[in-house]
C-alpha cells in the first residue's frame, strides 16, 4: 500500500503526524507532498525529532508525475487557498482514492467521495455539501510525547488566532496575572487587536510565526492549555481542532468550558472544566494548586490511548 500525504499549509501540524504514524503502524510506504514554503519555514522539522521523514518529503509538483502509483491520497490542507483549489480540480479524476480532511466549515471541499472531519459537530454542516458519500470523524491523535519540563515557565498558554470576540477570558487571565504574579504564554496571531495595549501586563509573553521545533520547545514549559474561546456556539462546533489534539498528544491538561468538554468528551478526571459563572474561581484554585496535576496527566494519557484504539 502506498500513501501520498498532501499538505499546503504551515499550521495544524498535529493532523499530519497522525497520518504519518498511521502509515508507519500499518507498514505502508508513504510520501509527504508539500510546497516550497513548508520547507523554507522549517515547519516540518519537529517531525524529524520523532521519526526520520526527510527522505519522505517531496515537492508537490512531483505528485503529478507519480500520482497513479499511490493507492490513497490524504488531502490534509486545512484552508481553502487558491493553490489548493487549483490542485483539487486536478484531483477530480482521483476522487475515489482521495481522502479529504475537513477542519472547519469554510474549508469544505464540495462533492468529494471520502471525507474525514476533525471537529465532531461539523458532520451536520458537511452533509449539505457532500451527500451520500463517506464521512468519518477522527480526532487527530498520535501516541503521547511527554515534553513537559518540571520547571514550568508559564502557568497558562493560549494558542491560535485571536480576535476581539475571544478577549473575554483572555482579559480575565491578564488581570489575574497582575494580581497573582503568574506568566501567560500566547502563541498565535492577532486579528483586529494589533493595537491592544499589553504594556501593563508584564507577565504576558507572545510569539508568532514559530518553527515547529521552537513551538514545541515553548510548549514544554507550559503547565495548562486554555483554548481561545467565546460565547458563540459556532466556535466550539467548527474550531479548536489544534489546541485539543495538542493537549492530548503532548499530555498538557486543558482548562476548558463545560460545553466544549461535552462536545469532545473531556471529564473532570483529565481536564479542569469551568462554566461562564465560575471561571475566576477555578483559575484561583489552579493558582493555589488545589488540583491533582499528576492525576490529570495520568488520565489524559488514558484518554490518548482510548482515542487511538478507536481511530484504528
Amino acid at each position: 500500500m502506498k500513501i501520498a500525504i498532501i499538505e499546503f499549509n504551515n499550521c495544524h501540524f498535529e493532523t499530519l503526524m497522525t497520518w504519518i504514524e498511521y502509515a508507519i503502524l500499518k507498514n505502508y510506504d508513504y510520501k509527504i507532498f508539500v510546497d516550497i514554503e513548508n520547507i523554507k519555514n522549517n515547519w516540518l522539522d519537529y517531525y524529524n525529532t520523532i521519526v526520520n521523514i526527510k527522505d519522505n518529503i517531496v515537492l508537490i509538483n512531483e505528485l503529478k508525475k507519480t500520482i497513479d502509483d499511490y493507492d490513497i491520497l490524504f488531502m490534509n490542507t486545512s484552508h481553502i487557498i487558491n493553490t489548493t483549489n487549483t490542485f483539487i480540480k486536478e484531483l477530480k479524476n482521483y476522487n475515489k482514492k482521495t481522502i479529504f480532511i475537513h477542519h472547519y466549515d469554510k474549508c469544505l471541499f464540495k462533492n468529494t467521495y471520502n471525507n474525514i472531519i476533525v471537529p465532531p459537530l461539523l458532520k451536520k454542516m458537511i452533509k449539505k455539501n457532500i451527500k451520500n458519500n463517506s464521512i468519518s470523524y477522527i480526532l487527530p491523535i498520535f501516541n503521547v510525547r511527554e515534553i513537559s519540563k518540571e520547571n514550568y515557565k508559564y502557568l497558562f498558554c493560549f494558542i491560535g488566532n485571536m480576535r476581539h470576540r475571544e478577549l473575554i477570558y483572555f482579559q480575565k487571565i491578564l488581570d489575574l496575572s497582575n494580581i497573582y504574579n503568574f506568566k501567560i504564554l500566547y502563541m498565535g496571531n492577532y486579528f483586529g487587536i494589533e493595537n491592544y495595549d499589553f504594556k501593563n501586563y508584564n507577565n504576558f509573553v507572545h510569539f508568532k510565526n514559530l518553527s515547529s521545533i521552537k513551538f514545541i520547545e515553548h510548549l514544554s514549559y507550559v503547565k495548562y492549555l486554555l483554548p481561545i474561546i467565546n460565547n458563540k456556539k459556532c466556535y466550539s462546533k467548527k474550531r479548536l481542532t489544534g489546541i485539543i489534539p495538542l493537549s492530548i498528544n503532548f499530555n498538557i491538561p486543558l482548562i476548558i468550558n463545560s460545553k466544549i468538554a461535552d462536545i469532545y468528551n473531556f471529564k473532570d478526571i483529565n481536564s479542569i472544566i469551568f462554566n461562564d459563572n465560575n471561571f475566576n474561581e477555578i483559575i484561583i484554585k489552579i493558582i493555589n494548586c488545589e488540583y491533582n496535576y499528576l492525576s490529570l496527566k495520568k488520565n489524559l494519557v488514558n484518554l490518548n490511548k482510548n482515542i487511538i484504539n478507536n481511530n484504528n
Side-chain angles (χ1 to χ4, degrees), residues 23 32 184 186 249 306:
I32 305 163
I184 308 160
Y186 169 49
N249 289 332
N306 290 337

Side-chain angles (χ1 to χ4, degrees), residues 144-150 152 219-220 222-224 246-254 268-272 291-305:
V144 170
R145 267 77 186 180
E146 182 60 70
I147 61 170
S148 297
K149 303 285 196 301
E150 290 185 9
Y152 300 104
L219 196 64
S220 69
V222 169
K223 193 166 186 178
Y224 292 99
L246 286 172
S247 167
I248 302 171
N249 289 332
F250 295 107
N251 198 22
I252 303 173
L254 277 171
D268 57 9
I269 61 170
N270 54 39
S271 59
I272 297 177
Y291 291 94
N292 188 330
Y293 187 70
L294 292 180
S295 178
L296 289 172
K297 286 175 70 70
K298 179 182 177 181
N299 288 310
L300 202 53
V301 171
N302 292 334
L303 178 61
N304 176 286
K305 292 177 179 177

Side-chain angles (χ1 to χ4, degrees), residues 170-180 182 184 201:
F170 183 68
Q171 183 63 61
K172 289 181 178 181
I173 288 285
L174 284 175
D175 292 338
L176 288 169
S177 72
N178 276 356
I179 298 170
Y180 293 96
F182 59 81
I184 308 160
Y201 301 102

Side-chain angles (χ1 to χ4, degrees), residues 26 29 37 48 52 109 115 129 154 260 269 285 295:
K26 298 293 186 181
D29 290 333
E37 292 303 316
N48 282 310
N52 184 6
F109 305 124
N115 307 276
N129 292 315
Y154 310 103
I260 301 171
I269 61 170
K285 284 184 177 181
S295 178

Side-chain angles (χ1 to χ4, degrees), residues 209-247:
N209 301 324
L210 294 170
S211 69
S212 56
I213 287 180
K214 280 292 183 183
F215 178 88
I216 297 299
E217 181 184 336
H218 291 304
L219 196 64
S220 69
Y221 289 101
V222 169
K223 193 166 186 178
Y224 292 99
L225 291 173
L226 183 57
I228 295 171
I229 45 182
N230 59 31
N231 293 328
K232 293 185 178 181
K233 293 180 180 179
C234 63
Y235 192 83
S236 57
K237 289 180 179 180
K238 305 175 186 178
R239 309 298 290 275
L240 300 174
T241 57
I243 195 168
I244 286 176
L246 286 172
S247 167

Side-chain angles (χ1 to χ4, degrees), residues 146-202:
E146 182 60 70
I147 61 170
S148 297
K149 303 285 196 301
E150 290 185 9
N151 53 328
Y152 300 104
K153 291 182 181 179
Y154 310 103
L155 186 57
F156 304 112
C157 176
F158 293 86
I159 297 173
N161 295 325
M162 191 179 297
R163 299 166 178 84
H164 274 293
R165 63 179 182 270
E166 279 91 46
L167 286 178
I168 175 173
Y169 293 111
F170 183 68
Q171 183 63 61
K172 289 181 178 181
I173 288 285
L174 284 175
D175 292 338
L176 288 169
S177 72
N178 276 356
I179 298 170
Y180 293 96
N181 195 31
F182 59 81
K183 285 194 174 296
I184 308 160
L185 174 64
Y186 169 49
M187 293 191 285
N189 296 310
Y190 305 127
F191 290 97
I193 61 170
E194 293 87 351
N195 297 322
Y196 194 82
D197 187 7
F198 293 107
K199 292 178 182 178
N200 295 325
Y201 301 102
N202 295 325

